[in-house]
Amino acid sequence: MLLEKQLILFINIFHSSMRQCLADVFLEKGYNLTPEQFLVMDTLWDEGILTQQQIADITMRDKNSIVKLIDGLEARNLVKRVNNPKDKRQNLIKVTEYSKTVKDAVTAISYEAVQKIINGIPREELESFVRTIARMQKNIDKDSDLEELGRKYPTNPGGAI
């Protein structure tokens, strides 16, 4: 198989498998949460109250998909929309007290799932993989800079992924 075909096939298979693995682990541990919803929650836990547009910018998703994710999170009592006192056209998204109580457990679950996925792969290879994906994304979208995103929103080694 050509390398280019393998790249498309393998990334597609991996993406689907990783999403399913994370969703299964969350559900198995009692949390009805998708990986995308977790990323929104993780962003809010790290950054605090944000607008829907800020969440979209940080997670590099379109605003419509963020609205749907927020709807699901709000239905699960994890976030709450409040009017922005500075701009009535905007909603601010804030975490609920309940979400604060599950933060550590949910974060630990996601960390354990990713550890399972990357088991046996040397850190240098993972770092190279991340840099390569960032470069491929830059080739797709010149305005996209995943490495800068990683520097701007670094992960906490002891907490969120």
Side-chain angles (χ1 to χ4, degrees), residues 19-57:
R19 281 189 79 258
Q20 192 61 54
C21 176
L22 288 168
D24 289 348
V25 170
F26 283 137
L27 208 49
E28 177 184 300
K29 301 287 185 170
Y31 297 98
N32 184 13
L33 199 63
T34 67
E36 294 83 5
Q37 289 171 330
F38 168 73
L39 290 175
V40 170
M41 290 307 305
D42 193 51
T43 299
L44 289 166
W45 286 325
D46 286 350
E47 301 300 320
I49 300 170
L50 297 171
T51 66
Q52 291 173 172
Q53 186 60 56
Q54 288 171 315
I55 295 168
D57 292 344

Coordinates of all heavy atoms in Angstrom, one line a residue, residues 19-57:
R19 N -11.4 7.8 19.8 CA -12.6 8.3 20.2 C -13.4 7.3 21.0 O -14.0 7.5 22.1 CB -13.5 8.9 19.1 CG -13.1 10.2 18.5 CD -14.1 10.7 17.6 NE -15.2 11.3 18.3 CZ -16.4 10.7 18.4 NH1 -16.6 9.5 17.9 NH2 -17.4 11.3 19.1
Q20 N -13.6 6.1 20.3 CA -14.4 5.0 20.9 C -13.8 4.5 22.2 O -14.5 4.3 23.2 CB -14.5 3.9 19.9 CG -15.6 2.9 20.4 CD -17.0 3.5 20.5 OE1 -17.4 4.1 19.5 NE2 -17.6 3.4 21.6
C21 N -12.5 4.4 22.3 CA -11.8 3.9 23.5 C -12.1 4.9 24.6 O -12.4 4.5 25.7 CB -10.3 3.8 23.2 SG -9.3 3.4 24.7
L22 N -11.9 6.2 24.4 CA -12.1 7.2 25.4 C -13.6 7.2 25.9 O -13.9 7.2 27.1 CB -11.7 8.6 25.0 CG -10.2 8.8 24.9 CD1 -9.9 10.1 24.1 CD2 -9.6 8.8 26.2
A23 N -14.5 7.2 24.9 CA -16.0 7.2 25.2 C -16.3 5.9 26.0 O -17.0 6.0 27.0 CB -16.8 7.2 23.9
D24 N -15.8 4.8 25.7 CA -16.0 3.5 26.4 C -15.5 3.6 27.8 O -16.2 3.2 28.8 CB -15.4 2.3 25.7 CG -16.1 2.0 24.4 OD1 -17.2 2.5 24.1 OD2 -15.5 1.2 23.6
V25 N -14.3 4.1 28.0 CA -13.7 4.2 29.3 C -14.5 5.2 30.2 O -14.8 4.9 31.4 CB -12.2 4.6 29.3 CG1 -11.7 5.0 30.6 CG2 -11.4 3.5 28.6
F26 N -14.9 6.3 29.6 CA -15.8 7.2 30.4 C -17.1 6.6 30.9 O -17.5 6.6 32.0 CB -16.1 8.5 29.6 CG -15.0 9.5 29.5 CD1 -14.7 10.1 28.3 CD2 -14.2 9.9 30.6 CE1 -13.7 11.1 28.2 CE2 -13.2 10.8 30.5 CZ -13.0 11.4 29.3
L27 N -17.7 5.9 29.9 CA -19.0 5.2 30.2 C -18.8 4.1 31.2 O -19.6 4.0 32.2 CB -19.6 4.7 28.9 CG -21.1 4.6 28.9 CD1 -21.8 5.8 29.3 CD2 -21.6 4.2 27.5
E28 N -17.8 3.3 31.0 CA -17.5 2.2 32.0 C -17.3 2.7 33.4 O -17.6 2.1 34.4 CB -16.2 1.5 31.5 CG -15.6 0.4 32.3 CD -14.3 -0.1 31.8 OE1 -14.3 -0.5 30.6 OE2 -13.3 0.0 32.5
K29 N -16.7 3.9 33.5 CA -16.5 4.5 34.9 C -17.7 5.3 35.3 O -17.6 6.0 36.4 CB -15.2 5.4 34.8 CG -14.0 4.7 34.4 CD -13.5 3.7 35.5 CE -12.1 3.1 35.1 NZ -11.5 2.4 36.1
G30 N -18.8 5.3 34.6 CA -20.0 6.0 35.0 C -20.2 7.4 34.6 O -21.0 8.2 35.1
Y31 N -19.4 7.9 33.6 CA -19.5 9.2 33.0 C -20.0 9.2 31.6 O -19.3 8.7 30.7 CB -18.2 10.0 33.2 CG -17.8 10.2 34.6 CD1 -16.9 9.3 35.2 CD2 -18.3 11.2 35.4 CE1 -16.5 9.4 36.5 CE2 -18.0 11.3 36.7 CZ -17.0 10.4 37.3 OH -16.7 10.5 38.6
N32 N -21.2 9.7 31.3 CA -21.7 9.8 30.0 C -21.1 11.1 29.3 O -21.7 12.1 29.3 CB -23.2 9.8 30.0 CG -23.8 9.8 28.6 OD1 -23.1 9.5 27.6 ND2 -25.1 10.1 28.5
L33 N -19.9 10.9 28.8 CA -19.1 12.0 28.3 C -18.4 11.6 27.0 O -17.8 10.5 27.0 CB -18.1 12.5 29.3 CG -17.5 13.8 29.3 CD1 -18.6 14.9 29.5 CD2 -16.5 13.9 30.4
T34 N -18.5 12.4 26.0 CA -17.7 12.1 24.7 C -16.3 12.7 24.9 O -16.1 13.6 25.7 CB -18.4 12.7 23.5 OG1 -18.3 14.1 23.6 CG2 -19.8 12.2 23.4
P35 N -15.4 12.3 24.1 CA -14.0 12.9 24.1 C -14.1 14.4 23.8 O -13.4 15.1 24.4 CB -13.3 12.1 23.1 CG -13.9 10.8 23.0 CD -15.4 11.1 23.2
E36 N -14.9 14.7 22.9 CA -15.1 16.2 22.5 C -15.6 17.0 23.7 O -15.1 18.1 23.9 CB -16.0 16.3 21.3 CG -15.4 15.7 20.0 CD -15.6 14.2 19.9 OE1 -16.3 13.6 20.7 OE2 -15.1 13.7 18.9
Q37 N -16.6 16.4 24.4 CA -17.1 17.1 25.5 C -16.1 17.2 26.6 O -16.0 18.2 27.3 CB -18.4 16.4 26.1 CG -19.6 16.5 25.2 CD -20.7 15.6 25.6 OE1 -20.5 14.5 26.2 NE2 -21.9 16.1 25.3
F38 N -15.3 16.1 26.8 CA -14.2 16.2 27.8 C -13.2 17.3 27.4 O -12.8 18.1 28.3 CB -13.4 14.9 27.9 CG -12.2 15.0 28.7 CD1 -12.2 15.2 30.1 CD2 -10.9 15.1 28.1 CE1 -11.1 15.4 30.8 CE2 -9.8 15.3 28.8 CZ -9.8 15.4 30.2
L39 N -12.9 17.5 26.2 CA -11.9 18.6 25.8 C -12.5 19.9 26.1 O -11.7 20.8 26.6 CB -11.6 18.5 24.3 CG -10.7 17.3 23.9 CD1 -10.5 17.2 22.4 CD2 -9.3 17.3 24.7
V40 N -13.8 20.1 25.9 CA -14.4 21.4 26.3 C -14.4 21.6 27.8 O -14.0 22.6 28.3 CB -15.9 21.5 25.8 CG1 -16.6 22.7 26.4 CG2 -15.9 21.5 24.2
M41 N -14.7 20.5 28.6 CA -14.6 20.6 30.0 C -13.2 20.9 30.5 O -13.0 21.7 31.4 CB -15.2 19.3 30.7 CG -16.7 19.1 30.5 SD -17.7 20.5 31.1 CE -17.1 20.8 32.7
D42 N -12.3 20.2 29.9 CA -10.9 20.4 30.3 C -10.4 21.8 30.1 O -9.7 22.4 30.9 CB -10.0 19.4 29.5 CG -8.6 19.3 30.1 OD1 -8.5 19.1 31.3 OD2 -7.6 19.4 29.3
T43 N -10.9 22.4 28.9 CA -10.5 23.8 28.6 C -11.2 24.7 29.6 O -10.5 25.6 30.1 CB -11.1 24.1 27.2 OG1 -10.4 23.2 26.3 CG2 -10.8 25.6 26.8
L44 N -12.4 24.5 30.0 CA -13.1 25.3 31.0 C -12.4 25.2 32.4 O -12.3 26.2 33.1 CB -14.6 25.0 31.0 CG -15.4 25.5 29.8 CD1 -16.7 24.9 29.8 CD2 -15.5 27.0 29.8
W45 N -12.1 23.9 32.7 CA -11.5 23.7 34.0 C -10.1 24.5 34.1 O -9.8 25.0 35.1 CB -11.3 22.2 34.3 CG -12.5 21.5 34.7 CD1 -13.6 22.0 35.4 CD2 -12.9 20.2 34.3 NE1 -14.6 21.0 35.5 CE2 -14.1 19.9 34.9 CE3 -12.2 19.2 33.6 CZ2 -14.8 18.6 34.7 CZ3 -12.8 17.9 33.5 CH2 -14.1 17.7 34.0
D46 N -9.4 24.5 33.0 CA -8.1 25.1 33.0 C -8.2 26.6 32.8 O -7.4 27.4 33.4 CB -7.2 24.6 31.9 CG -6.7 23.2 32.1 OD1 -6.8 22.7 33.3 OD2 -6.1 22.5 31.2
E47 N -9.1 27.1 32.0 CA -9.1 28.5 31.6 C -10.1 29.3 32.3 O -10.0 30.6 32.3 CB -9.3 28.6 30.1 CG -8.3 28.0 29.2 CD -6.9 28.5 29.5 OE1 -6.7 29.7 29.6 OE2 -6.0 27.7 29.5
G48 N -11.1 28.7 32.9 CA -12.2 29.5 33.6 C -13.3 29.8 32.7 O -13.5 29.2 31.6
I49 N -14.1 30.8 33.1 CA -15.3 31.2 32.3 C -14.8 31.7 30.9 O -14.0 32.6 30.8 CB -16.1 32.3 33.1 CG1 -16.6 31.7 34.4 CG2 -17.3 32.8 32.2 CD1 -17.2 32.7 35.3
L50 N -15.5 31.2 29.9 CA -15.2 31.6 28.5 C -16.4 31.8 27.7 O -17.5 31.2 28.0 CB -14.3 30.5 27.8 CG -13.0 30.1 28.4 CD1 -12.4 28.9 27.7 CD2 -12.0 31.3 28.2
T51 N -16.3 32.5 26.6 CA -17.4 32.6 25.6 C -17.3 31.4 24.8 O -16.3 30.7 24.7 CB -17.3 33.9 24.7 OG1 -16.1 33.7 23.9 CG2 -17.2 35.2 25.5
Q52 N -18.4 31.1 24.1 CA -18.5 30.0 23.2 C -17.4 30.2 22.1 O -16.8 29.2 21.7 CB -19.9 29.8 22.6 CG -20.9 29.4 23.6 CD -22.3 29.4 23.2 OE1 -23.2 28.9 23.9 NE2 -22.6 29.9 22.0
Q53 N -17.2 31.4 21.6 CA -16.2 31.7 20.6 C -14.8 31.4 21.1 O -14.0 30.8 20.4 CB -16.3 33.1 20.1 CG -15.4 33.4 18.9 CD -15.7 32.5 17.7 OE1 -16.9 32.5 17.2 NE2 -14.7 31.7 17.2
Q54 N -14.5 31.7 22.3 CA -13.2 31.5 22.9 C -13.0 29.9 23.0 O -11.9 29.5 22.7 CB -13.1 32.1 24.3 CG -12.9 33.6 24.3 CD -13.0 34.2 25.6 OE1 -13.9 33.9 26.5 NE2 -12.1 35.1 25.9
I55 N -14.0 29.2 23.4 CA -13.9 27.7 23.4 C -13.6 27.2 22.0 O -12.8 26.3 21.8 CB -15.1 27.1 24.0 CG1 -15.3 27.5 25.5 CG2 -15.1 25.6 23.9 CD1 -16.7 27.2 26.1
A56 N -14.4 27.7 21.0 CA -14.2 27.3 19.7 C -12.7 27.6 19.2 O -12.1 26.8 18.5 CB -15.2 28.0 18.7
D57 N -12.2 28.8 19.5 CA -10.9 29.1 19.1 C -9.8 28.3 19.8 O -8.9 27.8 19.1 CB -10.6 30.6 19.5 CG -11.4 31.6 18.7 OD1 -12.0 31.2 17.6 OD2 -11.5 32.8 19.1

